[in-house]
Amino acid sequence: MYPAEFAYVRPDGLDAVFTAVDEYADDAKVIAGGQSLLPLMKLRLATPAMLIDLAGAGELSGQHRTPSGVRLGAMTTYRELQHSPHTLGLLPGLGETVAVIADTQVRARGTIGGAVAHGDPTADLPAMLLALEAQVHIGSRRGHRRVALDGFITGVFSTGLADGEIVTALEIPLPPAGTGAAYEKVEQPASHLALAGVAAVLTVEAGTVRRARVAMTGVTTTPRRLTAVERALVGSTTSDVALSEAAALAVDGVVPLDDVHASPQYRLHLLEVATRQALQVAARRAGARWAA
Amino acid sequence: MAQVQDGTDVTVSLQVNGRHEVHTVPARTLLVHHLRNTLGLTGTHVGCDTTQCGACTVELDGTAVKSCTVLAAQADGSSVRTIEAVSRGEDGRDGGLDHVQQAFWDQHGLQCGFCTPGMVMAVRQLLRDNPRPTEDEVRRGIDGNLCRCTGYQNIVAAALAAADAEAAM
């Protein structure tokens, strides 16, 4: 399969990227790793007249400690993250999520900025980033802004990026002591995309949940937080009964996707199961951290 | 690295199996088509063409990627190694089968052979990342590559045998 014809540029540096994105506006797409965009282009579901390659903008790479967390350049590949023990040690849950994205070869090219900017309803990383309360750094010729990831992905392949804007980095705050995280997913076996994936980040103090962030992917039109589950968890114990009761709330008000891979009812079932498993694993890890 | 061209053609400069290759091709040319059609290196196969089967796996700057999902233009300035060169030494001479290929031969890790070039590249990547994998780690490590003949059993055996061979070197 061949993509439709397009012109290609690889601007040298971030300012040149901003200029190109501004100049070509609606006719252009930016390409990072291309592991999502190129398949869409080969199917002619995307037919940009101009492809702006971000690979020449070194500013989009690198991992930095900030006063409150870690900032990861948008061009950071999954593979780079897997080989960044320092970052993974600071941010529980990130390593095990990245490890189940697609396969080795795709992880070598796919980027974390792309995972967020593409707005795929089945992407793994946004679920964990939501549970870790990630912020999205956005840049354009006009300047920079920073927004919460929660609310940034607005629909299937849709985000809050305005014309001329690109994702430049993700910033993740360090979770408090006593925090454990887990990502559980049931996947479509050929594509490895999530039929239901749940990320849980729990802070536990002496057997009581103090803080809970739980998010899902693959089930609805966007990855999103499961706030009813979060509310039920805070103040509860980490007993199997308490976690199962909270997990049962995951399906509340959820309108599931319906496609060839899974019926709505099956997706809801998977959602509850994955939520329960993620909560159990995260609680156990949080407890272990607390004991240590 | 800077490359700004406004037309729909791009000039792609690559080191392929140690040779410097400069060609002007349509921007939409996929790396796998560039390797096969422009350079005549047909050892790299096009299987599913949808980033799932791994038959097109090559090493891009030393890391295994699916060349059906990389533009030749994106690879500009990089080095590529294909199945044609895995057994070639620093001097460019062909040294027969490399130890991964030999393990596939010894363990009957192929039947029709279509997936084999990609499998060999994937196993090489796996062993670079994890020189002593368990069977489970091998199965996870090659889950980006599909084989319709073998049921994977002998491919896994080949990967483990290649790890043993590497450890004995």
Side-chain angles (χ1 to χ4, degrees):
Chain A
M1 293 181 287
Y2 302 84
E5 277 203 336
F6 56 84
Y8 170 92
V9 294
R10 191 194 295 175
D12 208 356
L14 190 53
D15 284 337
V17 166
F18 289 150
T19 302
V21 171
D22 214 47
E23 184 177 342
Y24 296 107
D26 284 351
D27 297 331
K29 288 285 278 183
V30 297
I31 185 166
Q35 301 301 285
S36 298
L37 180 57
L38 288 175
L40 286 182
M41 290 173 62
K42 288 164 74 176
L43 292 168
R44 311 282 173 115
L45 295 173
T47 54
M50 166 68 74
L51 215 47
I52 301 167
D53 191 344
L54 301 181
E59 301 95 320
L60 298 175
S61 296
Q63 306 174 24
H64 305 280
R65 270 302 300 269
T66 63
S68 58
V70 181
R71 195 178 72 233
L72 305 170
M75 288 292 277
T76 305
T77 64
Y78 305 128
R79 181 177 172 80
E80 279 174 60
L81 259 190
Q82 285 188 285
H83 292 267
S84 303
H86 184 65
T87 297
L88 298 184
L90 292 169
L91 301 170
L94 198 57
E96 85 173 18
T97 306
V98 171
V100 298
I101 296 170
D103 55 52
T104 306
Q105 294 96 317
V106 170
R107 289 195 294 271
R109 300 283 301 167
T111 66
I112 61 167
V116 167
H118 190 53
D120 190 317
T122 65
D124 297 294
L125 193 62
M128 183 53 78
L129 292 174
L130 282 170
L132 289 169
E133 300 185 286
Q135 302 261 316
V136 186
H137 285 257
I138 296 167
S140 74
R141 211 174 181 176
R142 300 180 296 282
H144 288 79
R145 63 189 180 106
R146 186 164 75 156
V147 300
L149 176 61
D150 194 359
F152 174 76
I153 300 172
T154 52
V156 179
F157 303 131
S158 305
T159 69
L161 286 178
D163 286 348
E165 287 186 328
I166 65 166
V167 173
T168 56
L170 296 169
E171 188 161 344
I172 306 170
L174 300 190
T179 298
Y183 181 65
E184 296 287 335
K185 79 163 164 174
V186 181
E187 64 183 26
Q188 205 279 335
S191 67
H192 303 291
L193 294 173
L195 297 173
V198 175
V201 178
L202 303 182
T203 307
V204 177
E205 209 179 293
T208 301
V209 178
R210 294 295 177 207
R211 211 161 162 283
R213 289 289 181 274
V214 187
M216 67 169 174
T217 188
V219 181
T220 59
T221 51
T222 65
R224 66 174 171 86
R225 277 171 59 190
L226 297 169
T227 49
V229 177
E230 294 175 353
R231 279 196 299 274
L233 286 167
V234 175
S236 90
T237 71
T238 55
S239 71
D240 275 354
V241 173
L243 298 180
S244 295
E245 281 175 5
L249 300 173
V251 301
D252 269 13
V254 171
V255 180
L257 298 170
D258 181 7
D259 58 29
V260 294
H261 303 304
S263 67
Q265 296 90 326
Y266 184 50
R267 271 203 168 81
L268 287 182
H269 171 71
L270 296 179
L271 174 60
E272 183 177 343
V273 171
T275 304
R276 188 167 64 236
Q277 289 173 346
L279 293 181
Q280 285 169 345
V281 176
R284 194 167 64 237
R285 289 175 178 166
R289 285 197 165 208
W290 184 252
Chain B
M1 287 293 281
Q3 185 181 351
V4 180
Q5 297 185 10
D6 254 350
T8 54
D9 283 352
V10 289
T11 298
V12 176
S13 167
L14 297 173
Q15 283 288 129
V16 181
N17 300 336
R19 286 178 50 144
H20 191 51
E21 300 278 3
V22 183
H23 299 269
T24 298
V25 296
R28 61 177 175 162
T29 307
L30 298 167
L31 180 57
V32 69
H33 293 137
H34 191 53
L35 295 171
R36 287 176 57 85
N37 302 346
T38 314
L39 305 180
L41 295 168
T42 54
T44 303
H45 291 166
V46 181
C48 70
D49 208 359
T50 55
T51 335
Q52 296 181 46
C53 81
C56 64
T57 302
V58 301
E59 290 165 16
L60 180 62
D61 287 333
T63 303
V65 302
K66 294 183 171 177
S67 62
C68 79
T69 311
V70 178
L71 295 170
Q74 287 177 290
D76 176 50
S78 300
S79 71
V80 177
R81 187 196 288 257
T82 69
I83 190 69
E84 283 87 351
V86 297
S87 61
R88 213 170 282 169
E90 296 289 322
D91 57 2
R93 292 235 308 269
D94 195 322
L97 300 181
D98 89 323
H99 62 284
V100 174
Q101 291 172 309
Q102 187 65 50
F104 271 73
W105 178 286
D106 293 340
Q107 302 294 324
H108 303 281
L110 60 142
Q111 287 179 29
C112 85
F114 190 87
C115 74
T116 311
M119 281 288 180
V120 168
M121 300 314 258
V123 169
R124 285 163 55 90
Q125 180 67 59
L126 168 69
L127 297 182
R128 283 194 298 273
D129 289 340
N130 180 2
R132 298 299 281 171
T134 64
E135 180 181 335
D136 186 57
E137 287 166 345
V138 170
R139 289 184 184 277
R140 287 172 196 280
I142 60 169
D143 77 349
N145 293 70
L146 300 180
C147 171
R148 301 290 77 171
C149 303
T150 62
Y152 300 100
Q153 192 59 37
N154 290 349
I155 293 173
V156 174
L160 293 169
D164 286 343
E166 229 167 74
M169 277 176 195

